[in-house]
């Protein structure tokens, strides 16, 4: 079992930056593939970025070059650095985990989820 708690969301102007954090409890954090998803009102939950146990990463096209995912296994944490934010990045951001070597991009592939943190980007 893994418990995930996100933090770092907030209100920011377009062009600004935020850093999201996800703290994980439980054993063997390092073997999990970790990912960030987001869900805007009226839309489906979508993949944003993921990182596997070997530090391989994958990003949605819409965030490539602007967002960076990283992890610190010593702290049982994963981060999402978001730069050059746009109004269309506004959503609830969720941290997710699954034991797999691949960075999966579908929400149904992940076993554990946090409660989410709101990110609002004003124009």
């Amino acid at each position: 079992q893994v418990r995930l708690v996100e933090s770092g969301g907030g209100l920011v102007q377009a062009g600004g930056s935020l850093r999201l954090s996800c703290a994980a409890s439980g054993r063997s954090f390092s073997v999990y593939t970790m990912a960030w998803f987001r869900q805007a009102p009226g839309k489906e939950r979508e993949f944003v970025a993921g990182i596997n146990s070997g530090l391989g990463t994958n990003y949605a096209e819409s965030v490539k070059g602007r967002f960076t995912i990283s992890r610190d296994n010593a702290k049982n944490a994963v981060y999402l650095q978001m730069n050059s934010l746009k109004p269309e990045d506004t959503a609830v951001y969720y941290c997710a985990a699954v034991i797999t070597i691949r960075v999966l991009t579908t929400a149904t592939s992940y076993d554990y989820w946090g409660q989410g943190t709101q990110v609002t980007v004003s124009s």
Side-chain angles (χ1 to χ4, degrees):
Q1 285 281 355
V2 175
R3 181 171 178 263
L4 305 174
V5 179
E6 302 96 335
S7 61
L11 174 64
V12 64
Q13 288 189 332
S17 299
L18 281 174
R19 187 189 192 216
L20 304 184
S21 299
C22 173
S25 62
R27 297 183 296 178
S28 303
F29 171 78
S30 62
V31 306
Y32 284 83
T33 285
M34 303 298 297
W36 290 94
F37 286 77
R38 66 187 181 188
Q39 188 166 19
K43 295 188 176 182
E44 292 187 354
R45 193 168 296 190
E46 65 173 358
F47 173 81
V48 175
I51 185 167
N52 66 11
S53 58
L55 303 183
T57 58
N58 191 11
Y59 294 92
E61 285 296 326
S62 60
V63 306
K64 278 184 180 178
R66 299 189 298 124
F67 291 11
T68 302
I69 189 170
S70 61
R71 66 191 297 162
D72 186 337
N73 290 335
K75 295 182 178 180
N76 279 16
V78 63
Y79 308 100
L80 186 67
Q81 178 67 45
M82 305 186 295
N83 299 328
S84 302
L85 283 161
K86 305 175 181 180
E88 50 264 42
D89 294 319
T90 294
V92 177
Y93 283 70
Y94 297 91
C95 179
V98 66
I99 295 180
T100 180
I101 193 64
R102 297 172 56 198
V103 180
L104 303 172
T105 61
T106 55
T108 53
S109 298
Y110 286 80
D111 295 324
Y112 303 101
W113 291 87
Q115 293 300 307
T117 185
Q118 176 71 47
V119 171
T120 303
V121 184
S122 63
S123 57

